[in-house]
Each structure stands twice: as structure tokens, then as C-alpha cells.
Amino acid sequence: MNPNSPRSTAWTRLAEAARRTRFEDVGDIPAPYGFATRIAARALSLPATSAGPFFVAKITLRVLGVVCLLAIVSVSVNLGSILSDIDEQAGKLGSTPIEAAEVENTIDSPPAQPQP
Amino acid sequence: MPDNADALFDFVRCLEQVRAHDQQAARELVEQLYPLVIRIVRSHLPRRVSEEDLAQEVFMKMFTRLGQYQGAMPLPHWVSRIAVTTCIDHLRAQKRRPEFRWADLSETEAEVLDNVITNENIVAASDSLAARELVHKLLAQLKPEDRMVIQMLDLEQKTLAEISDLTGWNTTLIKVRAFRARRKLQKFFQELQKKERS
């Protein structure tokens, strides 16, 4: 079922009927009296904005994108060596009985006394 | 779309004068662009928003962003994009769209809807106004961007290139939005048909 097919659908029939009512032609209608003067006065009383901040923001976003891309690429390139380093460190840590030492420390330490 | 009057008007000179704080030039610019802006605003006017307020908002945005205009495209195209995005922002701000129910339709609208759903016949010319009302109620169910595209394509019969100029969206995006809107409308008609039968 292709909604773009030229075959007549309920929507195309309805749209065709709606198109028969002439949309008001506003091409030649001028702005209401005083509209342009009011807008011009208000607009020119505003402080002028320069294109500078807009372009700085645009460039900053692009630089941020490039930096993120570089970070992802460098992590993915060095992932192997990072993982092997972690494995190595984990192997070294595995030989020391950290957990046992921690348990002993908690048993030896006296219970905390409530402060008066 | 820039018409003959726009083609004759010297936007470059006028812009230079506006940038030099010439109030007369600013007034001329507003008067020149008013028909373009009001045409977009009227055809995509959200409920409970005055067209003059919306047009004023578009022009104020135009003046505050004038520093960003680099002349890469004709000024009327740039302004029409501001008008389109302003209308979309207002349509989006409405958040809750009114639910479309058979019970809320007038007798003529219900007849027209029944006619287009069940018959392959063309709607009578006398029912065109009801059809137009119905179309507006149906379009209110769509996302603002999809609504804008389908309205320009199927009601105003603009070409993809014209819509692209007005909105700044590329033709692929416009086609995707039109496809999505038509599919949703088709699904909607099927649901309405089921409800009527039940």
C-alpha cells in the first residue's frame, strides 16, 4: 500500500474538493496602516546583533564534533593495548590478598563509640 | 516565492540602508515582504494566534537576525524560512491536538467525510467549503512539519523545489514527510471508517 500512489484515495478526493474553494489571494493586500512604521521603529530601537557570535557558535560546534571523533578514533585504535594493560594490572593485584587484609582490619578495629 | 515586484525591488540597497539604521528603508522592506509573510502565516496559522501578531514576530526575528544574512540566497527565501519556522514553533507549542470525532463534525462535514471514505465519486462543488474545514481539522492531527508539507503539496499545489525554497528542507526530506503524512491520513481514514461501521 503506497500512500504516494496516484490512485484516488479518500485524502486525494477530499483535498481536491477543498482546493475548489479559492484561497484568498493576499498577494496585493498591503500591510495594515501603521504596521510597517511600528515594526521599523521597534526593530531599529533594538541593539544591533552581529554575525560574529553566530559564526563562533557554528565553528565551536564543528570543533567539538571533530574533537569527539578524534577521541573515539584514538580509543578504538588503542583499545588493544589499554585492555592488555588492564589485564596486566589485574594480574599483579590478584597476587596480593587485599580482600583478606580488609576483613582482618574490620575485625580488629573496635566498634565506633557514640560521641557524648 | 519572489514575484515580479520582488524582482524589481532592490533588496541589496535596501538592506544596506537598514543596516545603517535608516527607518524609511526598514519600512519599505516590511511593506515589500508583507504579502509573502502574510501568505505563509495565513495558510499555516495556528489556532488562537492572531495573524498580525505572528507576522510581527516574523519581522522582528528578521531584523534581529539580519546580521546573520550573508546573501547566499534571495532575501525573500530567507524570510520565508523564518516565517515557516515561526509557524511550526507556534503549532508545536499548542501541544495537545484536538481529537477528531464524528460527533464534532457539522452535518455537511460528516456527509462529505462519509462520501470521500465510502465513494469513489467526486465531492459536490457545493460542499467545497465543508471539505476545506474538514481538511483543516484533519491536518491538525499531524505533526507540524508534516502538516506544512502536505498542505503545500496537496492544497497549495507547490512543487518540491518551491517547498524547498520556502522551508529550507531538502527534497528527500520533503518527500519523506509527505509520505509519512499521507500514510497517517490513510490510516486515519481507515479508523474513521471502522468507527462509523461499528
Side-chain angles (χ1 to χ4, degrees):
Chain A
M1 185 170 64
N2 182 5
N4 280 326
S5 64
R7 151 184 90 80
S8 170
T9 61
W11 166 248
T12 54
R13 286 194 293 277
L14 188 64
E16 200 184 322
R19 276 200 307 269
R20 266 185 251 136
T21 55
R22 288 259 168 178
F23 282 85
E24 190 185 355
D25 185 15
V26 291
D28 297 327
I29 294 180
Y33 182 75
F35 181 85
T37 311
R38 192 172 70 242
I39 298 287
R42 279 189 64 186
L44 295 182
S45 67
L46 293 172
T49 54
S50 67
F54 173 71
F55 285 109
V56 167
K58 213 173 165 182
I59 289 166
T60 309
L61 274 177
R62 282 181 189 172
V63 168
L64 191 68
V66 170
V67 166
C68 285
L69 198 69
L70 279 175
I72 291 166
V73 168
S74 67
V75 166
S76 58
V77 164
N78 297 308
L79 193 64
S81 58
I82 291 168
L83 285 176
S84 66
D85 268 5
I86 291 170
D87 277 349
E88 211 173 284
Q89 294 294 326
K92 282 178 189 171
L93 288 171
S95 57
T96 44
I98 297 170
E99 288 173 10
E102 278 176 1
V103 171
E104 279 170 18
N105 286 341
T106 47
I107 291 168
D108 290 345
S109 59
Q113 293 294 320
Q115 294 292 321
Chain B
M1 294 288 100
D3 52 15
N4 290 336
D6 283 350
L8 293 171
F9 188 77
D10 190 354
F11 283 111
V12 179
R13 180 196 56 82
C14 191
L15 273 181
E16 276 171 16
Q17 290 174 337
V18 171
R19 282 177 176 145
H21 280 249
D22 182 341
Q23 198 159 328
Q24 174 63 29
R27 212 160 46 220
E28 276 175 24
L29 191 62
V30 171
E31 277 166 3
Q32 188 63 32
L33 292 169
Y34 183 82
L36 168 79
V37 170
I38 205 70
R39 205 179 300 144
I40 295 170
V41 160
R42 274 194 192 171
S43 34
H44 307 283
L45 188 70
R47 286 173 295 128
R48 296 189 294 273
V49 179
S50 140
E51 66 179 39
E52 203 176 311
D53 288 352
L54 209 54
Q56 183 170 320
E57 193 180 326
V58 171
F59 280 114
M60 292 311 291
K61 278 185 185 173
M62 180 194 81
F63 280 112
T64 50
R65 294 175 190 176
L66 217 50
Q68 295 167 21
Y69 178 68
Q70 298 296 305
M73 65 182 90
L75 186 76
H77 289 189
W78 185 70
V79 174
S80 69
R81 287 174 194 190
I82 294 177
V84 165
T85 41
T86 308
C87 288
I88 288 179
D89 287 347
H90 275 271
L91 287 168
R92 208 177 276 146
Q94 287 181 346
K95 287 178 189 167
R96 196 175 160 274
R97 296 171 202 142
E99 196 191 344
F100 190 93
R101 294 180 302 185
W102 279 99
D104 295 334
L105 300 178
S106 71
E107 202 178 324
T108 331
E109 285 170 1
E111 265 175 35
V112 171
L113 186 58
D114 191 40
N115 193 11
V116 292
I117 287 176
T118 54
N119 297 324
E120 296 270 320
N121 301 331
I122 295 168
V123 179
S126 54
D127 293 335
S128 297
L129 267 177
R132 193 174 154 186
E133 277 302 306
L134 206 51
V135 160
H136 282 290
K137 284 179 184 170
L138 279 166
L139 290 179
Q141 307 297 312
L142 301 176
K143 282 183 185 170
E145 294 89 347
D146 297 353
R147 171 186 173 164
M148 186 116 2
V149 164
I150 207 77
Q151 193 168 338
M152 286 180 181
L153 265 181
D154 290 352
L155 295 177
E156 297 165 25
Q157 294 195 295
K158 289 191 188 328
T159 62
L160 290 174
E162 284 172 337
I163 299 173
S164 181
D165 283 343
L166 277 171
T167 57
W169 300 328
N170 63 44
T171 47
T172 313
L173 182 61
I174 295 168
K175 280 182 192 169
V176 168
R177 284 191 167 143
F179 179 86
R180 204 163 54 188
R182 287 188 185 129
R183 194 173 53 186
K184 193 167 178 195
L185 284 167
Q186 209 165 11
K187 204 175 154 190
F188 197 63
F189 278 118
Q190 284 166 356
E191 279 170 17
L192 280 170
Q193 199 169 5
K194 273 183 206 163
K195 275 183 195 168
E196 193 202 21
R197 278 176 186 165
S198 65

